[in-house]
Amino acid sequence: FRRLQREEAELSRELQDLIGLPSATLDGVTIPLHANTGLLADITPSLRCGAEGVGLYRTEVPFLVRDRFPGEEEQRRTYRQVLEAFAPAPVTVRTLDIGGDKSLPYFPVQEDNPFLGWRGIRIALDHPEIFLTQLRAILRANEGLNNLRLMLPMITCVAEIDAALVLIRRAHQELEEDGARIEYPHIGVMVEVPSAVYQVPAMARRVDFFSIGSNDLTQYLLAVDRNNSQVADLYDALHPAVLRAIRQVIEDAHQSQRPVSVCGEMAGDPAAALLLLGMGVDSLSMSAASLLRVKWAVRSFSHSQARALLSEALQLEDGKSVRELVHGHLEQAGLGGLIRAGRR
Ligand code: PEP
Ligand code: MG
């Protein structure tokens, strides 16, 4: 164990050398690596590891740590700190995604099936006063910075996007009428529900970018509760169905000239990141702790190797075989330290 501990510390030190080096494959394809944030305490580690922006700012976190809904000005100040810390790099702010496993103590919701119930954009659209307050706060936080990208969670149909866009335009217009000069941000949606996978062309007519929430997408595609340890063995983001769904989203989005990011946990898994690279994903967003590990993997393979690996992986019939295949390639390339404790 001492040896493993020593080797892990050595690996972490070596990875520090990658800070500041481009996140690019051996054949020169760059893939920006962004950080996932929620608490203000996430900002410093994200900047230290060289994140090129924030790919997912979970705004429900500041709501979860309070005992009442934060007001517009309180929210604005919080969001401003994140936007300012990363400016001019992009910060993707996701609107409130409560419900499911994230319930606010001061907004109790009782349901038999919370993951299939009132969550994400559904609550926001049913409570426009909460949503508009948040939208005004987010838009105002961006004043003079212009590095905001706004993202909507749990989208299942285009009507939800249309309704949300009406409210975003209204919030923007109200602020302009108040005399504020605020750029209208790029707007994107999360693809984290199976129905969204098959709606990409229609959604692309309404928004500027997509981000794949692989945590929920895996849960809903495989019908496995992401938090239930009883069925944890069945939860696998490398399941061929999940990989095919993601590949289709990326292909369809690119057909419509829209970029795609992945911001679920799989983006921070070096093995999964290689497959996503092979699919042509445009950026990855992950926790700061994973970023340099993924960068090491990206810099150790060419894009054509990642593409070949993906086509091999897509011939396989289950997630376990996919993982074994990719882990084998990581070992061969001398990156075994990424997939197990120690280096040898
Ligand atoms: C996801 O579902 O993959 C995601 C990034 O959102 P969250 O984990 O916050 O549900
Ligand atoms: Mg989600």
Side-chain angles (χ1 to χ4, degrees), residues 94 97 102 119 154 190 192 213 215-216 226:
R94 180 177 73 183
D97 184 22
K102 291 176 282 198
R119 61 169 300 201
M154 276 296 291
M190 294 202 61
E192 47 185 350
N215 305 336
D216 277 312
R226 60 193 262 192

Side-chain angles (χ1 to χ4, degrees), residues 8 11 14-15 18 26 269-271 273-274 277 291-302 305 309 326-344:
E8 281 294 311
L11 176 60
E14 281 171 29
L15 288 174
L18 300 180
L26 292 173
D269 168 3
L274 279 183
L277 190 62
L291 197 136
L292 292 174
R293 302 170 87 85
V294 170
K295 193 189 263 191
W296 190 28
V298 167
R299 290 177 56 87
S300 305
F301 288 83
S302 66
Q305 277 175 315
L309 186 59
V326 187
H327 280 190
H329 281 257
L330 285 167
E331 286 276 9
Q332 261 175 28
L335 279 69
L338 288 182
I339 52 181
R340 53 176 159 68
R343 306 212 63 185
R344 280 181 257 154

Side-chain angles (χ1 to χ4, degrees), residues 37-52:
T37 64
L39 294 167
L40 290 176
D42 295 328
I43 295 176
T44 308
S46 305
L47 289 169
R48 280 215 186 114
C49 69
E52 297 176 64

